[in-house]
Amino acid sequence: MKTFVLKSESGQNASKNYQIKYAEVLNNAQYKAVMAQNGAYLVIAGAGTGKTRTLIYRLARLIEDGVHPQSILLLTFTRRAAKEMLDRAANVLDDRCKRVRGGTFHQYCAQILREYGGELGINPTFTILDSSDTQEVLQHVRQPYKEKNKGQRFPEKSTLYAIISAAFNKQIPISSVLQLTYPQFLHFAEDLEKLKQDFIGYKESQNMLDFDDLLVLTKELLQTKEHIKVQVGLKNKYVMIDEYQDINRLQADLIKLFSSVSGNVMAVGDDAQSIYAFRGADHSNILHFPDEFGAKEVIKLEQNFRSTQQILDLANNLLLQATNKYDKKLFTLREEGDLPGLIKTSSENEQSDFIAQYVLHLREQGIPLHDVSVLFRNSRDSYDLEVDLARKGIPYVKYGGQKISEAAHIKDVLAHIRVVVNPGDVISWSRILTLIEGIGPKSASELMMWMRGARDGVSPSKNYLQKVGQLSELLAFIKEKSMDVSACVEAIKNYYEPICRKKFDDSPKRVKDLEAFVTIAKPFLNISQLLEDLTLDPIDGTAIDTEKTQHEESPLVLSTIHSAKGLEWNTVFIIQCVDGIIPSGYSVDSEDALEEELRLLYVAATRAKDQLLFTYPIIKENGFGEYFSNPSRFIQKVPSNLLEPWNLLRDALPDESNPDLLTS
């Protein structure tokens, strides 16, 4: 009798003589994920646990096993991420790894549509619209509906873009999007559905596809054309997806279609770092992956290589407050460290003062500024700190938030400078004239005609001339002092501040931004240079790096929490940790939104390697005045043995050169 022994899949791996000694360079959980064979797998990669390393070594292992590189599909959220992974995989194995098909969902869908889209009547020479182009098309399509609803506030092009994109990506009707996010426009639901169809028709007539079209049409193609789904599926022997917690419903459906033949899917992500619901990401996708894909196993990476155990203990405790999650407990071999600190300050000014002085203290201890970060929920939460840093000459860079030149109040300020540099700038003249109470677009037009000498019987009333008198004095001053940029901006600030307070509900924050802009303007030689630099090289955030000399080190990092994801620093401050900010006041009535706010704080906390500090002012300010705040409800639930309160002590004679202001 003959005997034939069937080898197990795991046995095949174990006996193979690999070039890379996987068991030696990976921990047990990473090794398990890397050696996973056919079928669907979910890898829950906690913060700092080597997610990217695991993906890289699995790519290498598949190729060592003889899998053709071009039969592997690696999907990431940026082209750069895919390229970096393939380059790193090539470094650990060889250049075969660079031939893996790596890229974004949109990139891959565009390839499919150019190859097979003719089956849906799509011309393969289609133009891909970016978000700006898409909004311009929407502006064109929007005009008839705006005219139809004259006298009513109809959604702007950017809002329409957000509404329609959400409907596509979440695979829900326009009315559902409006209910969730824009209830003030619910009465336009029928018109907006028609507008969406007009929008689709216009793009078809012009052979244009936007980002959403690439995904929607690829799904339609693969769902309705079985032979193409099979052809695409045969090319994808193995599918790997990075940052799975950030995908939307449409992308989850596409992954099923891409892997429909082989069923070999590995999704890597962390449910605890799902923080992009506002972009359409659906946290439930990663929770439902095992059932949807029939996953063989959920593999958890829990060994953290970034933070001290004290920081991880706090982060683990935060996750205990969540309901919808995968249970995991991060650990590290780095057991020596300080407890995270909780610093209560009397005001935002004291919060800023403490951070600035402690940053200087850290620098004296040999920690470079670029290895220190200040994180916040919203871009404006850092305004007070930005002003203080600028005054103390601490260089910083800010990530996240609106470009300074795009902020409405800064555009108002810049418009005053522009009319001095270019008296023929009609757009800027119109902007600054209509800021004056009682002057609308029509009156502004008449005034501009009068100023240009094109009077033709136009004679503005004395009332109007009186109204522009103060403006005329300001512009004359700017022209006279044009070489002293900060003096010009200071004068505009003083003139504009009362207007700003009337125009914006959140004027106190915007006034602080104006103060920061005065400081920002100081290094410029003249107002023309200021305008040119802001136009050609827009500054990210609502503040600019303070001027650095060649001898100064890289700047301190200020960042929104969303922009900090994936990054790490030696020391991390999380500021404005008060209820109403973390969590946002808009989230408290929704369990899902509240849990995302909790995950946001978790992401912030796990950016720190050695020191983590939470700060909050007990007195806050809004458009209605000052009020007493409470620390974040998430922080209040952390046991006292995991979080150490700090006391701030003022010297009898305050000396900002002495950073030792605290005792713990």
Side-chain angles (χ1 to χ4, degrees):
M1 181 183 289
K2 289 183 178 179
T3 303
F4 184 84
V5 179
L6 293 170
K7 295 180 180 179
S8 67
E9 290 180 352
S10 59
Q12 291 174 14
N13 282 333
S15 63
K16 191 172 179 76
N17 186 24
Y18 290 110
Q19 179 181 327
I20 300 170
K21 306 301 180 185
Y22 294 97
E24 295 177 12
V25 297
L26 302 167
N27 64 29
N28 291 337
Q30 291 171 336
Y31 181 80
K32 192 175 193 179
V34 166
M35 293 298 170
Q37 285 292 330
N38 295 340
Y41 294 86
L42 175 62
V43 179
I44 298 296
T49 58
K51 166 180 71 68
T52 302
R53 181 179 179 85
T54 302
L55 281 167
I56 288 166
Y57 277 90
R58 186 164 193 262
L59 283 173
R61 198 276 300 167
L62 287 172
I63 290 171
E64 281 212 75
D65 270 343
V67 178
H68 196 285
Q70 292 194 336
S71 69
I72 303 172
L73 176 64
L74 171 65
L75 292 172
T76 61
F77 275 83
T78 65
R79 290 190 181 192
R80 187 179 69 178
K83 184 178 184 303
E84 286 179 357
M85 277 192 218
L86 300 185
D87 286 346
R88 286 176 61 182
N91 287 335
V92 301
L93 184 62
D94 54 48
D95 281 355
R96 286 177 294 171
C97 297
K98 292 184 178 181
R99 299 202 297 273
V100 168
R101 290 177 299 120
T104 66
F105 280 90
H106 295 99
Q107 186 181 359
Y108 184 50
C109 288
Q111 291 172 9
I112 291 173
L113 291 175
R114 292 202 191 277
E115 187 172 355
Y116 302 107
E119 296 263 356
L120 292 181
I122 299 170
N123 187 325
T125 63
F126 58 79
T127 299
I128 300 175
L129 302 173
D130 63 19
S131 57
S132 176
D133 295 332
T134 303
Q135 289 187 47
E136 290 308 310
V137 173
L138 279 168
Q139 178 70 352
H140 173 77
V141 175
R142 162 182 187 271
Q143 281 305 119
Y145 294 91
K146 185 183 176 183
E147 290 297 320
K148 175 188 171 185
N149 296 284
K150 201 170 182 179
Q152 299 184 70
R153 184 179 175 184
F154 196 74
E156 299 292 333
K157 62 182 181 181
S158 58
T159 307
L160 286 174
Y161 179 63
I163 292 169
I164 293 172
S165 184
F168 278 128
N169 284 291
K170 293 181 180 181
Q171 300 284 272
I172 58 176
I174 290 279
S175 56
S176 298
V177 177
L178 297 176
Q179 239 170 353
L180 288 169
T181 319
Y182 300 96
Q184 68 271 34
F185 297 128
L186 260 172
H187 57 292
F188 292 133
E190 189 176 336
D191 276 351
L192 294 182
E193 280 289 359
K194 291 177 182 175
L195 188 152
K196 186 179 86 169
Q197 295 307 315
D198 291 349
F199 174 54
I200 293 169
Y202 181 87
K203 288 183 294 180
E204 286 178 354
S205 69
Q206 302 296 316
N207 198 29
M208 298 170 173
L209 300 182
D210 62 26
F211 291 158
D212 295 326
D213 293 329
L214 296 175
L215 306 187
V216 171
L217 292 173
T218 300
K219 179 182 175 181
E220 182 184 344
L221 176 69
L222 300 182
Q223 281 185 328
T224 59
K225 309 295 179 182
E226 181 69 20
H227 64 291
I228 295 176
K229 183 179 77 170
V230 172
Q231 288 181 55
V232 170
L234 286 170
K235 294 178 181 179
N236 299 327
K237 189 171 181 180
Y238 291 92
V239 178
M240 299 165 64
I241 311 99
D242 188 26
E243 304 285 9
Y244 194 83
Q245 77 281 349
D246 293 334
I247 69 165
N248 57 44
R249 183 65 258 164
L250 180 54
Q251 290 164 332
D253 291 341
L254 284 169
I255 292 164
K256 288 181 190 175
L257 294 165
F258 297 159
S259 61
S260 60
V261 175
S262 71
N264 297 330
V265 184
M266 177 170 282
V268 182
D270 184 8
D271 59 299
Q273 297 186 70
S274 177
I275 59 173
Y276 292 115
F278 66 94
R279 294 181 185 171
D282 188 345
H283 177 248
S284 68
N285 286 324
I286 194 168
L287 298 178
H288 297 156
F289 180 92
D291 292 332
E292 284 193 44
F293 287 83
K296 284 189 172 182
E297 191 174 359
V298 176
I299 302 169
K300 297 178 183 178
L301 307 185
E302 296 175 298
Q303 183 179 356
N304 178 283
F305 300 95
R306 175 186 301 155
S307 309
T308 64
Q309 190 60 53
Q310 288 75 13
I311 292 171
L312 296 181
D313 287 342
L314 184 140
N316 288 332
N317 187 269
L318 287 175
L319 288 188
L320 290 176
Q321 300 178 35
T323 304
N324 302 310
K325 65 186 177 189
Y326 287 101
D327 290 325
K328 58 179 169 292
K329 190 173 183 179
L330 299 184
F331 69 94
T332 182
L333 302 181
R334 298 185 62 207
E335 296 182 354
E336 295 296 323
D338 296 327
L339 284 175
L342 180 63
I343 297 94
K344 176 174 66 177
T345 66
S346 61
S347 64
E348 289 186 67
N349 289 339
E350 187 174 72
Q351 177 181 246
S352 301
D353 192 25
F354 160 69
I355 292 168
Q357 295 196 47
Y358 197 71
V359 165
L360 295 174
H361 174 62
L362 291 170
R363 185 166 64 178
E364 288 178 4
Q365 292 183 326
I367 298 171
L369 290 182
H370 67 258
D371 209 10
V372 181
S373 178
V374 182
L375 305 183
F376 33 85
R377 176 66 177 82
N378 302 300
S379 180
R380 287 184 185 155
D381 294 336
S382 68
Y383 284 6
D384 191 87
L385 175 62
E386 290 171 41
V387 174
D388 204 44
L389 292 172
R391 286 172 181 161
K392 288 181 170 66
I394 300 174
Y396 66 92
V397 63
K398 184 173 178 181
Y399 303 131
Q402 189 180 44
K403 290 182 172 62
I404 192 169
S405 55
E406 295 173 353
H409 52 304
I410 300 298
K411 290 182 78 165
D412 287 344
V413 169
L414 292 174
H416 290 82
I417 300 174
R418 286 195 173 100
V419 298
V420 173
V421 175
N422 178 15
D425 187 338
V426 175
I427 301 297
S428 293
W429 271 114
S430 179
R431 187 179 190 103
I432 67 174
L433 287 170
T434 53
L435 288 172
I436 301 172
E437 192 173 359
I439 297 181
K442 185 179 178 182
S443 303
S445 179
E446 291 178 357
L447 282 165
M448 284 187 285
M449 289 175 63
W450 182 80
M451 286 187 289
R452 291 199 306 268
R455 295 176 173 80
D456 294 335
V458 175
S459 181
S461 67
K462 288 183 180 179
N463 185 39
Y464 286 152
L465 294 177
Q466 287 173 353
K467 287 178 182 291
V468 300
Q470 193 179 356
L471 174 62
S472 300
E473 291 175 11
L474 172 68
L475 297 178
F477 176 85
I478 297 173
K479 194 170 183 177
E480 181 187 343
K481 302 285 187 180
S482 61
M483 293 301 291
D484 189 343
V485 180
S486 64
C488 294
V489 177
E490 178 78 42
I492 297 170
K493 181 190 90 66
N494 294 336
Y495 165 81
Y496 177 71
E497 189 174 323
I499 298 171
C500 181
R501 293 190 183 279
K502 287 183 179 179
K503 185 176 179 181
F504 300 104
D505 291 338
D506 57 353
S507 60
K509 294 294 185 186
R510 293 181 186 257
V511 169
K512 289 179 182 178
D513 203 19
L514 297 175
E515 292 171 0
F517 190 58
V518 173
T519 304
I520 289 163
K522 285 181 180 177
F524 292 92
L525 298 175
N526 54 64
I527 56 176
S528 297
Q529 187 197 29
L530 172 67
L531 288 177
E532 184 174 310
D533 277 24
L534 287 178
T535 303
L536 298 179
D537 187 19
I539 304 157
D540 287 330
T542 49
I544 186 177
D545 303 357
T546 54
E547 190 73 5
K548 297 188 294 176
T549 69
Q550 286 184 326
H551 306 290
E552 287 181 319
E553 62 191 306
S554 298
L556 171 74
V557 177
L558 310 186
S559 176
T560 62
I561 300 171
H562 286 99
S563 297
K565 187 172 174 290
L567 304 175
E568 60 182 42
W569 295 271
N570 174 284
T571 301
V572 170
F573 298 87
I574 305 174
I575 66 172
Q576 307 283 17
C577 292
V578 302
D579 245 37
I581 295 181
I582 306 178
S584 164
Y586 297 107
S587 69
V588 296
D589 294 327
S590 166
E591 183 181 342
D592 288 344
L594 198 59
E595 291 228 338
E596 177 152 325
E597 294 289 309
L598 176 63
R599 296 193 294 270
L600 195 65
L601 188 60
Y602 169 85
V603 167
T606 52
R607 301 310 94 196
K609 293 189 287 186
D610 292 331
Q611 190 168 29
L612 175 63
L613 301 172
F614 301 89
T615 70
Y616 73 98
I618 57 174
I619 296 178
K620 287 280 295 169
E621 200 176 297
N622 58 22
F624 302 100
E626 295 182 339
Y627 66 95
F628 285 102
S629 68
N630 294 309
S632 167
R633 65 190 66 191
F634 305 139
I635 297 295
Q636 291 183 55
K637 292 178 182 178
V638 174
S640 58
N641 64 317
L642 301 181
L643 190 59
E644 184 176 23
W646 287 20
N647 295 317
L648 299 186
L649 301 178
R650 281 282 176 192
D651 291 339
L653 296 171
D655 180 4
E656 291 188 352
S657 67
N658 177 12
D660 299 321
L661 293 179
L662 59 97
T663 61
S664 59

